[in-house]
Amino acid sequence: MAEGKTIDNGNKTAAAEGVLTGSMRVRRASEADFEAIMAIFERARELMRRTGNPNQWGKSWPPAELIHEDIHGGHGMLLVDSEGEGGNERILAYFAMFLGAEPTYAHLTEGAWLDDDEYATMHRLASSGLKGHTGDVCMRWAAVTYKNVRCDTHPDNKAMQHVFEKAGFRRCGIITVSDMGDRGNTRIVYQRHDK
């Protein structure tokens, strides 16, 4: 996984470009959000099972320790709005953003990256299901905020492949990841670079 600096969010830029609408904004996740984040992942795993992708996250991915690392490292991000009861905040989606090289992206097969410029990586995108198209919003927010973004998904995750492509990301090739057990070790990688 890519190490790297913490990141600043780009809410003003994204709002100006029409990515964030209404009361939506992106903020860093905190430990107070942990239980809600884990509930989002449980929902995502169930949705994956129902849509023909039972192996990518299996029954327990991502582990709690990894989400704590995301939060404490400043990488865990939330798409939120204030459309809850009484104007309270609702968590619409979770994702993790990293600056710097992602080691698993060093060797592609069946393709090539768009370029070798510095990039940000998005991992662990999952929606709470409270609002439609939040995956697309998160992907577009990342592209507007960081300009050069890479991400990956499991070959069976047709829904996420569609989200990436709808948000203007190009399929670049295949990577092999290790230590995935029965979750499979092949991932499709995508990139969007707005220069």
Side-chain angles (χ1 to χ4, degrees):
M1 174 172 326
E3 294 302 320
K5 312 174 260 183
T6 58
I7 44 86
D8 293 321
N9 68 36
N11 290 325
K12 291 179 185 172
T13 302
E17 295 196 19
V19 173
L20 299 176
T21 59
S23 65
M24 285 192 293
R25 64 187 177 90
V26 173
R27 70 168 176 83
R28 291 192 197 288
S30 72
E31 278 298 324
D33 303 309
F34 177 76
E35 292 301 324
I37 293 166
M38 295 310 288
I40 288 170
F41 285 124
E42 181 55 41
R43 177 194 174 277
R45 287 188 295 269
E46 177 55 33
L47 182 63
M48 287 177 174
R49 283 189 288 274
R50 287 196 324 260
T51 58
N53 182 21
N55 297 319
Q56 181 177 357
W57 284 357
K59 296 180 181 177
S60 60
W61 188 265
E65 300 79 29
L66 185 57
I67 302 310
H68 286 300
E69 288 176 19
D70 285 353
I71 292 169
H72 292 285
H75 305 291
M77 307 299 286
L78 299 173
L79 175 67
V80 300
D81 70 13
S82 57
E83 297 176 20
E85 189 173 322
N88 288 327
E89 181 182 270
R90 301 185 307 170
I91 298 175
L92 304 177
Y94 175 88
F95 57 97
M97 291 298 304
F98 299 87
L99 293 177
E102 165 60 66
T104 61
Y105 290 174
H107 304 286
L108 265 67
T109 59
E110 300 178 35
W113 292 112
L114 300 179
D115 55 54
D116 292 324
D117 295 350
E118 290 186 9
Y119 61 92
T121 303
M122 179 186 279
H123 286 298
R124 296 182 278 290
L125 173 59
S127 170
S128 67
L130 294 174
K131 193 174 217 170
H133 309 290
T134 56
D136 182 59
V137 172
C138 293
M139 296 305 300
R140 290 179 188 277
W141 176 89
V144 166
T145 303
Y146 302 105
K147 306 299 183 206
N148 192 7
V149 180
R150 295 179 182 183
C151 50
D152 66 85
T153 193
H154 194 282
D156 291 340
N157 196 338
K158 305 299 185 198
M160 190 58 67
Q161 292 171 46
H162 174 75
V163 167
F164 291 165
E165 291 165 11
K166 182 179 175 193
F169 283 71
R170 291 187 45 202
R171 181 179 170 152
C172 293
I174 304 291
I175 60 168
T176 302
V177 291
S178 60
D179 301 324
M180 293 292 124
D182 61 356
R183 296 183 8 224
N185 64 353
T186 300
R187 299 291 182 269
I188 302 170
V189 293
Y190 289 81
Q191 182 178 7
R192 176 173 163 178
H193 191 175
D194 298 346
K195 296 185 179 190

